[in-house]
Amino acid sequence: MRKKNLVKFISMVLALMVFSAANVFAAAGESDQVSVIYDPVSVTYDFNEGAVPGLFALPASNNARYGKMTFSEEVEGDRYLIFEDGNLNNKGQGRTDYSIQVCHAPMSIEYDFCIPEYTKTAAGDNIPAMILFITNYSSPGVKGTQGSGKTAMSLTCDKDENGDLKFSVVVSGAAIEGVFEDPLSFDTWYRVKIDAHAEKYQAVVSLYDSSGELIDKTGTITVANSTYSTDVTPDGFVGLSFATGSQTANVSAEEQSKIYIDNFTFTRERFSFSSKPAISQDGDEITASVVVRNEIAEETTAPALILALFDAKGKLVGISVNDSEPIAARTDPGLPTTTNVAWPNGFALPAEATVTCTLPKGDAALAVAYLWTDIGTSMQIYSSASEVLTIS
């Protein structure tokens, strides 16, 4: 191993010995918690430049064509986005869809929002909503489109019986009970965070006040239902839709609901994994391997694959580390300019690399492999550990 990595290597060995003593062979990666992002890549937009960022696509078909998006007037150097119904004769909600970058691994979406007080003419009428889509990136017969997108979850902003703002998380037509019980205030800024894992059809919603204090959060929500395609594996497409306006045609402009959005942050993992590390024995050799997918559009280095051997008493007797396997840049799939059409670069898979480690079995009785973020700084297990191999 390179001399400059010696200190890191020693630290990693000590940590592995602690893990082995605690019998930590089941890694944290098997948890269904979708909010853990170990090695994040983030982008934030505050909209002060007065331009729609390339992160978004503005569809021009279906309900989305009625959505109207404008910028607020600049107030002390700050601007925000305004969503409202752009067609007063629309018989459905005016909706503006945003396509979020494709990602197989966990991701989070955060933004500030404010709901101006609006006129509610009937039950269920004119209610602004922020709708999350989780779907597969390709659908049967329509490869590379977002035509298979389905509403996964709606964050609705209704008026309660006292005229206050009622914030609800709705899945399959029913609100999640036991959270967000207290009403919010109109014309007040809040921050919402949606942690999502598209391949698992899971989400967690957290709500904060303007000072960043947590108001409440859901548990892990499974958002799959019978409306989803089941004959293809989801490939990690996540979208947002901001729905405003009335369900009734020919309403006046004063009755249109609005949503204000600011400080939008999208965070995702750098890497995803087809499966946890595999480990095998061939004669006197023990080999670990894992396929790592690069989720970002630049060449990078895979997380550190560690193969560890233990004797019958649990003592660490052998170790091998691969911490320098390069992975090519992922082809940027671009963003669709409308719904139900092919993405600009087609179905762009992440770049992949197979990372391996090999050791002679020696006096070892057990072997296990881990993926760590690295071997020098955070040193966190990045995905599920391999199955424990009993060495013959």
Side-chain angles (χ1 to χ4, degrees):
M1 174 169 288
R2 298 184 300 273
K3 290 183 179 180
K4 66 180 181 179
N5 281 336
L6 181 59
V7 174
K8 294 180 180 181
F9 181 76
I10 293 172
S11 299
M12 178 267 298
V13 170
L14 292 174
L16 267 180
M17 293 178 70
V18 172
F19 282 165
S20 65
N23 196 26
V24 186
F25 286 129
E30 293 181 346
S31 168
D32 65 356
Q33 172 60 268
V34 298
S35 62
V36 175
I37 295 182
Y38 290 116
D39 196 13
V41 176
S42 294
V43 58
T44 299
Y45 299 99
D46 61 12
F47 308 114
N48 287 333
E49 298 301 319
V52 179
L55 178 68
F56 299 137
L58 182 60
S61 65
N62 298 334
N63 284 343
R65 67 181 180 272
Y66 297 115
K68 180 181 179 183
M69 180 185 67
T70 58
F71 290 97
S72 68
E73 294 297 325
E74 184 172 351
V75 179
E76 297 182 354
D78 190 25
R79 300 169 68 107
Y80 53 85
L81 281 174
I82 301 173
F83 297 97
E84 58 188 313
D85 194 345
N87 186 336
L88 301 185
N89 295 318
N90 175 25
K91 294 183 179 181
Q93 288 182 321
R95 199 180 80 193
T96 303
D97 287 350
Y98 281 129
S99 303
I100 308 304
Q101 297 177 14
V102 176
C103 179
H104 291 68
M107 66 190 77
S108 69
I109 303 164
E110 297 181 67
Y111 54 89
D112 299 328
F113 74 95
C114 174
I115 306 297
E117 188 162 3
Y118 59 90
T119 300
K120 182 177 177 180
T121 56
D125 193 29
N126 204 21
I127 298 173
M130 297 161 279
I131 302 171
L132 179 76
F133 295 92
I134 298 180
T135 185
N136 49 293
Y137 180 59
S138 56
S139 58
V142 203
K143 281 292 198 180
T145 77
Q146 45 173 315
S148 56
K150 301 291 183 182
T151 298
M153 182 173 67
S154 295
L155 310 183
T156 63
C157 299
D158 199 355
K159 283 190 173 185
D160 64 14
E161 62 276 8
N162 297 318
D164 295 318
L165 177 61
K166 175 60 178 173
F167 181 82
S168 301
V169 178
V170 178
V171 177
S172 299
I176 302 296
E177 296 183 356
V179 292
F180 312 120
E181 299 280 339
D182 296 330
L184 305 181
S185 300
F186 288 102
D187 299 301
T188 302
W189 284 94
Y190 298 93
R191 186 163 185 83
V192 67
K193 180 181 181 184
I194 304 170
D195 296 299
H197 197 312
E199 283 192 321
K200 293 183 177 181
Y201 286 130
Q202 291 180 340
V204 173
V205 179
S206 304
L207 182 66
Y208 304 85
D209 63 20
S210 59
S211 68
E213 183 175 350
L214 179 67
I215 295 174
D216 205 353
K217 68 182 296 184
T218 68
T220 300
I221 304 167
T222 299
V223 297
N225 57 47
S226 60
T227 64
Y228 285 84
S229 299
T230 57
D231 51 355
V232 291
T233 300
D235 298 310
F237 173 80
V238 172
L240 277 180
S241 174
F242 298 94
T244 58
S246 177
Q247 297 286 358
T248 305
N250 301 314
V251 295
S252 68
E254 287 75 24
E255 293 175 338
Q256 297 302 293
S257 60
K258 298 180 181 180
I259 300 175
Y260 300 160
I261 299 293
D262 203 1
N263 300 316
F264 187 102
T265 300
F266 173 58
T267 303
R268 61 176 177 171
E269 292 277 15
R270 291 175 181 267
F271 304 104
S272 60
F273 311 96
S274 300
S275 61
K276 61 186 178 182
I279 193 165
S280 61
Q281 179 179 0
D282 184 6
D284 291 336
E285 297 290 324
I286 309 298
T287 300
S289 65
V290 65
V291 176
V292 179
R293 298 184 293 200
N294 179 18
E295 295 283 355
I296 62 177
E298 61 185 54
E299 184 176 339
T300 187
T301 301
L305 177 64
I306 302 167
L307 171 60
L309 305 183
F310 302 87
D311 67 15
K313 295 182 179 181
K315 179 182 177 181
L316 184 66
V317 295
I319 193 166
S320 177
V321 180
N322 186 334
D323 64 344
S324 58
E325 193 72 31
I327 309 181
R330 175 180 180 162
T331 301
D332 187 351
L335 291 170
T337 55
T338 185
T339 55
N340 299 311
V341 298
W343 289 55
N345 294 330
F347 183 32
L349 287 170
E352 292 186 349
T354 300
V355 184
T356 61
C357 286
T358 301
L359 279 175
K361 69 173 186 177
D363 297 327
L366 299 173
V368 66
Y370 308 83
L371 264 173
W372 283 14
T373 51
D374 56 62
I375 59 171
T377 54
S378 58
M379 296 178 64
Q380 297 188 66
I381 295 179
Y382 201 84
S383 76
S384 299
S386 70
E387 303 295 339
V388 178
L389 175 69
T390 301
I391 300 172
S392 59

